[in-house]
Amino acid sequence: MSTTTRALSVCALAIAAGSASADVLETIDFGDLVHGEIVSTQYQGSHGVTIDARNYSRNFDLAVAFDTHRTGTRDDDLEDPWSGGNLAGNTNLGNALILQENNYGIGDGIADRPDDEGSRPAGWIRFSFDEVKTGIGFDILDLESPDVEATSLKLYLDGSLVASIDFADFINPGSDLYDASVSFGNNSANRIGLISAADLGIAGFDTAKFKFGGSMAIDTIKTVPAPGTFALLGLGGACVARRRR
């Protein structure tokens, strides 16, 4: 068997295995954080992921936990009960992750006034995984208009962009990612079901960058680990390159 044939065979097995292992999920729901906690390496040890952010309108870049079950916060659009979306209005999601709009009292690692960035576009929050993933799902809160705000998810492998998902696709009947249950709007809460690498025509990804077109939050990040041989052999880039030719 030639090297090329072997690589292609392993790629096919990796993608198939990624789809078959969709029930093996790693979940980050930010429930162990406190309101206002700045998030970076808290999940490095437990989930092998580092989180960072970029705010286009500020001279600081902070991903911050926001307790959606609180009242009297600086953004009641991120407080339950939810007024729309495919999650029940009384769903208690606990902490979500926001792109922080201010830097009051951040010296101790906890922002005193958690509030999501309202500028358009706002910026991004990035998840950099130690290992390749073959699926991702997540919750989106208070996303008012993906068409106007151009909110998206960018997936990368070995530093190269391999897939881009426009959030408008979830409400576009002509899209392969259309979900009739999703309804964006003010104070909405939507759960996006697992999207597999195979669905996107890629072998996998090791970075997920959520681009915030405006004010919103993300929560309950679920990922599917790639088969161990796939990650260890480092064939992700080769798989993607061959699939995209």
Side-chain angles (χ1 to χ4, degrees):
M1 181 181 292
S2 69
T3 301
T4 299
T5 302
R6 179 179 180 278
L8 288 172
S9 297
V10 174
C11 288
L13 287 172
I15 295 171
S19 299
S21 62
D23 58 335
V24 181
L25 295 176
E26 294 180 350
T27 302
I28 304 176
D29 64 9
F30 312 106
D32 55 335
L33 306 179
V34 300
H35 187 57
E37 185 170 348
I38 298 171
V39 184
S40 56
T41 60
Q42 286 92 326
Y43 298 102
Q44 178 60 53
S46 60
H47 292 76
V49 62
T50 299
I51 299 170
D52 67 333
R54 175 74 173 92
N55 190 317
Y56 297 150
S57 300
R58 314 292 168 181
N59 59 2
F60 51 85
D61 306 302
L62 304 172
V64 166
F66 187 102
D67 186 352
T68 65
H69 200 48
R70 286 197 177 203
T71 58
T73 68
R74 293 182 65 84
D75 188 354
D76 55 9
D77 290 340
L78 287 175
E79 299 176 7
D80 62 33
W82 312 108
S83 58
N86 63 12
L87 291 176
N90 61 353
T91 303
N92 179 3
L93 294 173
N95 291 329
L97 196 62
I98 63 171
L99 185 65
Q100 177 69 359
E101 187 175 64
N102 64 70
N103 61 352
Y104 293 116
I106 63 172
D108 60 354
I110 299 176
D112 290 349
R113 305 177 188 176
D115 193 5
D116 61 332
E117 178 59 59
S119 300
R120 298 187 179 185
W124 49 255
I125 293 179
R126 177 172 57 189
F127 293 73
S128 300
F129 300 99
D130 289 346
E131 298 181 346
V132 174
K133 306 294 184 179
T134 58
I136 188 168
F138 45 89
D139 294 348
I140 294 295
L141 312 180
D142 191 39
L143 175 58
E144 297 181 13
S145 173
D147 295 288
V148 174
E149 297 176 353
T151 303
S152 64
L153 171 61
K154 307 289 187 182
L155 300 177
Y156 298 81
L157 184 63
D158 294 333
S160 296
L161 178 68
V162 292
S164 180
I165 300 170
D166 189 328
F167 279 25
D169 290 342
F170 299 126
I171 57 174
N172 178 5
S175 168
D176 291 339
L177 296 176
Y178 174 64
D179 182 344
S181 74
V182 173
S183 177
F184 292 123
N186 197 45
N187 189 230
S188 62
N190 286 279
R191 178 152 295 170
I192 304 302
L194 195 70
I195 303 169
S196 74
D199 291 338
L200 299 172
I202 63 175
F205 58 91
D206 56 19
T207 302
K209 180 188 286 187
F210 290 87
K211 300 194 74 173
F212 288 39
S215 60
M216 56 177 273
I218 55 177
D219 192 14
T220 320
I221 309 298
K222 297 181 179 180
T223 56
V224 179
T229 52
F230 178 42
L232 290 174
L233 288 172
L235 292 171
C239 291
V240 174
R242 290 185 172 89
R243 288 183 60 84
R244 296 182 70 186
R245 285 179 182 173

